[in-house]
Amino acid sequence: MRSDRTLTIVTRTLAVISAAIVVLVVGFLLRESTPALRQIGVSRFFTDASWHPRSGEFNLTPMIVATLVTSLGAIVVAAPMGIASAVFVNFYASRRLAAWHRTLIELLAGIPSVVFGLWGLVVLAPIVATFGGSGQNLFTATIVLGLMVLPTVALLSDAAIAALPREWIQGAAALGIGRSAIVGWIVLPGARRGIGSGIVLALTRALGETMAVLMLAGNIVEMPSSLLSPGRTLNANIALELGYASVGHRSVLFVSGLMLMLVVSAIIFLVSRQRGTRRDR
Amino acid sequence: MLITTENVSVSYNGRTVLRDATIDAKPGSILGLVGPSGCGKSSFLAALNRLTEIIPGASVSGRIRFDGRDLSTVFPSSVDLRRHVGMIFQKPNPFAMSIRRNIELPLREHGIRDSRQLREITESVLRDVGLWDEVSDRLEQSALELSGGQQQRLCIARALALKPQVLLMDEPCSSLDPLSAERVEQLIDSMRGQYTILIVTHNLAQARRLSDQIAIFWIQDGVGRIVEQGDTEEVFNNSANPIVSSYLSGRQG
Amino acid sequence: MIDNGTVATAQHDRREFCVTVAVWCAAMSVIGVLIWILVDIAIGGLAEIDPGFLVEDVQNAGREGGIGPIILSTGLILVVCLTVSIPLSFGTAIALTERVGAETWFARNVRRSLDVLAGVPSIVFGLFGNAFFAMTLGLGYSILSGGLTLACMVLPILIRTSEQAIRAVPAEYRYAAAALGMKRTTIIFRVVIPVAMPTLAAGVVLSVGRALAETAALIFTSGYVARTPGSLLDSGRSLSVHIYDLAMNVPGGGSRAYATACVLVAILLGINMATSLLLRMTGLRHRSETGAAC
């Protein structure tokens, strides 16, 4: 059994390495952030006059707001459409149409964000521009971001709805309850856990998205005053400025990255906790 | 209501499971549908309330008549049909909601919105199935917390609330413990005369106890068929069909 | 009662109609947008592509010429990524499926850290890769840095799909082999993995798709250089980075960006088809072994 011992040792070591990567990532983020945290201090990220790194101003607030607006806005777009899509595929479409629809949604999920950004830039932005401005603003970015995370909501809701016991639906139909009422009163409440985790996962994806938003939100760092204002998210900011940042500036960028990661990890941790307790029951 | 079917056949994805089912159910009577598994009995019931419409790949042919008139003329809308023809399933399937809402939801869907009316109907049907004394103090609790027998009686109450004329029952007692099964059976017996009941059952003794008429299903040439029909005692005692008499005496099937 | 019925039916029908229309509209607009995007990319891109496009050198900052060196760099980055991530993930998957069914403390925590890793934003991977691979390990802006960073990114997906592939192998196979006195190592390598192979391959292909779509992580690790790389330590540009550069930094680069996007989407579509083909193979294999369809 010696080769079995070797196998166990080797595979467990590999597993530990895999698990350790996350620790490594956090570690390096902390290491690079420490100069900024120590010399500039967290409160200044919210109280400085503006974001002008070269003059030593490091207010992150406009970018935090832009990040929240685009991510939450993306959910506002993606959630109803994704849930409707899942309902469509399970209750309104013929079997062939449903199969096609599912395939198309999977395709949508695979399109790279730069391609979304490119399309948004060339096709969508000019359309939005007819309402004023250059078309490169938070609104365009939010719509495209919504399209990008829609498959996540759709696919997870679809799975949750398909997993409902068929007796519930047959029983309701046998009572003469109409299709829309079955969907509204029985299916959606029954599948709400799966749909909920689809939405949360979509939110984490939206928060983590960089390229499409970078290409579409216009790149002015200021507090957005309306949906048609341009803005810059934290991710886009890192992508734009890391290349030429001086040491102090670079450190602040790492702080913003750390912030993002902590928020996303917290959400994921809470969700996996909840899912874990459900499994134990 | 008098139900007659003429040569009803049911197939799933091209494969026929029931062929040429012709029966007569007299108003207010209990018609037992018996036979071994796989003879198409449940499919027959599903054809009667058009539940086959939501089963993928199912198709039905043949004529179904209520009081002499074609089903599709009397009830062009399936929603309307199912108000008059209720169905009880083998495994109790209450909704994951409170007991009260289980009964009120179908009522609301069919247009009864007045809360006093709803409460009256709820109490009345729960009394009819003998559940009122057991659950009147916990109507807001989830129906899933009831025992199997209570859940099945709740499902019957739910169906009765719509004041149907016909009840289709697919082995309503088979997943219940003996005590609950007996209570449900007594309930069904008490409904004789008020409703036309078609009940599928594997339990020959139950069929003999409950049903006024009986229809025997059997598999012939790979599809289900009705091989005999008539008054229950007649069929049990004097069947001319050798398969039927040996099945009913427990020697086969 | 009759009046109630009539009113109810009319209200009923109206509501059914509205909901049906709403659901169909939503579903059709989703499909519509997808088709719009694909058609747009195809039309814009195909116009620019000729056979030479895929092999020629990049000229005039990408406004002319082809994407030969870009494809080469992308391929090299993928090779580095897979060389590191495949052994790591297969090994981890085997470790996680040691006990059939039970959830050990070890497995649960490895899984939890992988879940967190899976959610890390791609730009944060870019920061990490830049700080760790490029700076601390001294690899600089290179294909090696980019490939290693991508390996960290695809690890969670690859581990999850490999684990599922291994778990999908019926336990009876393992029991039969163990009853014949086979060692665990032999069971895994000679019985379980061959059966799980199509699903394992599908997982790898899925990860390749994910890696190809990555941009933010590569900008700060493998860099921007559009020349043909001479070695793994040279900087190289991937397809997605090229699209980004042409769209944002190069005036007039739009049409070439479309062409490159077209190539990238075509590759991804191919990957999508390969994945479903592989997964369908698993189904077929099972059916032939158990006889009739269950």
Side-chain angles (χ1 to χ4, degrees), chain A residues 164-173 182 186-187 190-191, chain B residues 93-96 144:
Chain A
L164 288 176
R166 219 162 353 126
E167 300 92 62
W168 288 10
I169 297 165
Q170 284 186 342
I182 297 183
I186 298 179
V187 170
Chain B
N93 56 357
F95 301 135
L144 297 180

Side-chain angles (χ1 to χ4, degrees), chain B residues 10-221:
Chain B
V10 181
S11 55
Y12 296 111
N13 292 318
R15 194 171 60 91
T16 314
V17 297
L18 176 70
R19 201 192 296 266
D20 292 338
T22 303
I23 60 113
D24 245 301
K26 306 207 177 23
S29 74
I30 300 184
L31 172 66
L33 306 172
V34 300
S37 305
C39 293
K41 309 188 290 295
S42 304
S43 308
F44 181 63
L45 287 189
L48 289 177
N49 73 344
R50 285 202 215 122
L51 211 59
T52 40
E53 276 171 11
I54 64 167
I55 300 178
S59 75
V60 179
S61 65
R63 298 276 251 317
I64 304 176
R65 279 191 245 262
F66 279 28
D67 282 340
R69 285 155 65 217
D70 199 271
L71 187 61
S72 41
T73 333
V74 181
F75 297 117
S77 140
S78 294
V79 164
D80 219 18
L81 166 65
R82 292 167 192 157
R83 188 195 177 145
H84 294 269
V85 178
M87 180 178 259
I88 309 296
F89 295 76
Q90 183 176 343
K91 208 173 74 118
N93 56 357
F95 301 135
M97 302 170 185
S98 68
I99 297 173
R100 180 195 299 284
R101 217 157 128 66
N102 260 276
I103 300 181
E104 286 188 0
L105 180 61
L107 286 173
R108 279 180 192 274
E109 279 302 300
H110 286 278
I112 300 175
R113 302 267 156 90
D114 174 61
S115 52
R116 199 167 51 88
Q117 235 185 334
L118 287 171
R119 265 181 284 127
E120 279 172 8
I121 298 180
T122 305
E123 181 175 337
S124 146
V125 293
L126 284 175
R127 280 191 194 281
D128 286 343
V129 302
L131 264 183
W132 180 251
D133 294 323
E134 291 167 47
V135 304
S136 60
D137 55 346
R138 45 186 175 123
L139 290 176
E140 306 302 331
Q141 278 182 16
S142 166
L144 297 180
E145 291 175 21
L146 296 174
S147 75
Q150 289 172 320
Q151 284 185 13
Q152 190 66 303
R153 280 184 283 151
L154 174 62
C155 290
I156 297 178
R158 185 175 65 178
L160 292 182
L162 297 180
K163 296 220 188 345
Q165 287 151 305
V166 179
L167 277 176
L168 307 173
M169 299 192 162
D170 194 350
E171 299 190 49
C173 302
S174 65
S175 63
L176 303 179
D177 65 270
L179 202 57
S180 308
E182 196 186 318
R183 288 183 87 164
V184 172
E185 212 186 281
Q186 284 170 354
L187 173 59
I188 299 177
D189 199 38
S190 69
M191 299 197 295
R192 194 196 306 272
Q194 291 171 58
Y195 308 94
T196 309
I197 300 181
L198 280 79
I199 176 167
V200 169
T201 178
H202 268 156
N203 188 333
L204 291 176
Q206 181 186 72
R208 195 166 189 172
R209 283 194 295 270
L210 277 182
S211 53
D212 304 311
Q213 274 89 39
I214 196 163
I216 317 286
F217 285 66
W218 201 261
I219 296 195
Q220 281 179 344
D221 305 320

Side-chain angles (χ1 to χ4, degrees), chain A residues 116-132:
Chain A
F116 269 110
L118 180 62
W119 176 79
L121 211 50
V122 175
V123 174
L124 200 59
I127 298 181
V128 174
T130 59
F131 291 102

Side-chain angles (χ1 to χ4, degrees), chain C residues 193-236:
Chain C
I193 290 196
V195 173
M197 196 47 92
T199 319
L200 286 172
V204 171
V205 170
L206 203 69
S207 310
V208 169
R210 176 74 207 276
L212 277 174
E214 236 339 283
T215 319
L218 289 178
I219 294 185
F220 302 114
T221 49
S222 60
Y224 262 102
V225 173
R227 273 177 291 119
T228 314
S231 81
L232 289 180
L233 285 172
D234 270 352
S235 162

